Amino acid sequence: MRKTLLAIENLKVYYHTGRGVVRAVDDVSLAINRREIVGLVGESGSGKSTLGYAIVRLLPPQGKIVSGKIVLDGKNLLKLSLSEMRKVRGKEIGMVFQDPLTSLDPLQKVGDQIVETILEHVNISKKEAYDMAAKALMEVGLPPDRLDSYPHQLSGGQRQRVMIALATVLKPKLIIADEPTTALDVIVQDRIMELLASLKEELNTSIILITHDISLAAERADKIAVMYAGHLYEYAPSDEIISKPLHPYTQGLIQSIPDVFARKEIKEIKGNPPDLVNPPSGCRFHPRCPYAIEKCMRKEPAMIRINENRYVKCWLYA
Ligand code: ATP
Ligand code: SF4
């Protein structure tokens, strides 16, 4: 069995807008191993969600995968027909989004929604699907009688549990969780993250945790991938990233975390992320980087392998 579950190779995803072409994901390569939680972090607009939606090929109409490969367990998802891709979604890749209210049908009981998902993928009776749905709810800590509830009858945390039950009921190989706890209070957030971590163990699944919060990724993910302005700039085990961030942008993200790592001084990264219709030349971080040299403005650095698990894209290490 391959160690790598998902291999993204030179992926480019652009949005065609009235203002021009937004290069939201621009030549990103990333490999995710089995049973690994990878935190995909970066400021708003760095391309995290675009990357997540591209993997399941659920981009809005103006979003196009321009080139690259997305290989799940040896299968290039970009070569699949739409109906083959529908089979992959839910069965091989589960999705958990920030706001379950927009993903759950408000007019359908949650049990019916889970049963429908099951029956789309497996050939079993409705009764068996219902039993599976009840079990999935229990696994996320909800009593099976919640199957008869409508989404609005549940709390925010319960709805997110239902989303997780939906995402995991068919035991997918990969879960993409896009800001799954951002709308929840800290205690519920913690419980939901515990739940995702325990499901990873039980189901042997890998998780891509998309979050703007590097401290959450540090706490929960095995590895952290740092995106900025459509590029991947650093990828390494979480403990290495936090104890010794290499990329100046990663250093900035860590320095701007309030308190969590007991750093005395909290420093915001100066400036704003660029407009991706017209991104900066060379290293896209150069207008904000305290270490930028002339070369950084001229030429884009290559991704460098520092050790077996550690990669960084910056001239300081070339
Ligand atoms: P956030 O946390 O705010 O969602 P993100 O890191 O997930 O940020 P994306 O949402 O992937 O980033 O956005 C990447 C870039 O693509 C941004 O410049 C954004 O404005 C642009 N973008 C995202 N969705 C669309 C869209 N539907 N049409 C046009 N541009 C888009
Ligand atoms: Fe800063 Fe240059 Fe490294 Fe970019 S390549 S992060 S501008 S030092």
Side-chain angles (χ1 to χ4, degrees), residues 2 17 19 100 106 166 196 210 237 251-252 264 266 280 283 310:
R2 292 180 187 85
T17 71
R19 288 195 316 112
L166 254 173
L196 279 173
I210 298 175
Q251 291 168 3
K264 287 181 193 79
I266 300 162
C283 169
R310 188 145 209 201

Side-chain angles (χ1 to χ4, degrees), residues 233 247-249 283-287 289-293 296-297 301 313-316:
Y233 276 105
H247 197 279
Y249 178 61
C283 169
R284 289 186 178 178
F285 188 55
H286 86 251
C289 179
Y291 308 104
I293 50 172
C296 304
M297 297 166 210
K313 188 178 166 84
C314 170
W315 283 120
L316 296 178

Side-chain angles (χ1 to χ4, degrees), residues 11 13-15 24-25 47-55 59 178 210:
L11 186 70
V13 187
Y14 295 174
Y15 294 101
V25 171
K48 310 178 299 290
S49 299
T50 301
L51 183 60
Y53 283 93
I55 295 169
L59 292 162
D178 189 358
I210 298 175

Side-chain angles (χ1 to χ4, degrees), residues 234-247:
E234 187 161 5
Y235 186 37
S238 306
D239 50 350
E240 289 183 38
I241 288 239
I242 298 302
S243 60
K244 193 167 182 280
L246 296 181
H247 197 279

Side-chain angles (χ1 to χ4, degrees), residues 15 17 22 24 42-51 60 62 179 276:
Y15 294 101
T17 71
V22 179
E43 286 163 295
S44 180
S46 55
K48 310 178 299 290
S49 299
T50 301
L51 183 60
Q62 65 274 34
E179 304 277 6
L276 294 182

